[in-house]
Amino acid sequence: MSNEVEAMYAEIILDHYKAKHHSGLRDPYQAQVTHVNPTCGDEILLRLALDGDRITDVSYEAVGCSISQASTSVMSDLVIGKSVAEAMSLQQEFTEMMHSRGEIEPDEDRLEDGIAFVGVAKFPARVKCALLGWSAFKDAAIQAAGGRQGQE
C-alpha cells in the first residue's frame, strides 16, 4: 500500500467509519434532505434540528463508502452545538481543503478530525465522497433557515 493510499484511509477515517457518530434518524428536526453522489451511488438522508440559530442535532442514514460515511460522522461532531453561521464557515473551510488537492495546510483547531481528509483531497474521484454529507448539511441548513424565516 502506497503512502498516499495509507494517508487516504487514515486511522481517524477508519475509526469514524467503524463507529459512526450521530448515525440514525432522530426527531424533531426542521429540515430533511437526501443527497446522492451520481458518480458512485453513495446516498445520505440527513436531518437537521435547530434551537434558534444553534444546531442541536444532525442525524442521518447513509449508504456508501467509508470516506463518505466517515466524513459525515466528522461533520456531525463539528457542527452540533455551533451556530448555523459558524457551521457554514466550517463547511466552506472543509470544501476548500477538499478542492486543494492536498496542498492546503488545514487548521486542526477548527476542523479537528476533519484534517484527516486532506489526504483524500489528493484523489479527485474521492472528493465528492468526502463532501456528500457536508453538502447535505449545507442544503438542510439553508432549508431550515428558509423555513424559520417563513414562520416569522
Side-chain angles (χ1 to χ4, degrees), residues 38-114:
T39 57
C40 66
D42 288 2
E43 292 183 37
I44 185 168
L45 174 63
L46 182 137
R47 291 178 176 173
L48 176 70
L50 300 174
D51 181 10
D53 190 39
R54 186 83 30 203
I55 297 165
T56 57
D57 194 24
V58 173
S59 63
Y60 60 92
E61 287 184 353
V63 177
C65 69
S66 60
I67 291 172
S68 69
Q69 294 190 44
S71 180
T72 303
S73 175
V74 167
M75 177 274 299
S76 300
D77 281 348
L78 284 172
V79 302
I80 292 173
K82 299 222 174 21
S83 71
V84 171
E86 291 169 328
M88 293 295 261
S89 174
L90 290 170
Q91 185 275 335
Q92 182 62 35
E93 200 168 318
F94 187 84
T95 299
E96 288 172 11
M97 178 185 76
M98 293 311 301
H99 290 296
S100 75
R101 297 187 178 262
E103 295 179 8
I104 284 179
E105 184 71 34
D107 184 342
E108 185 173 3
D109 291 336
R110 290 191 37 85
L111 292 178
E112 301 177 13
D113 283 354

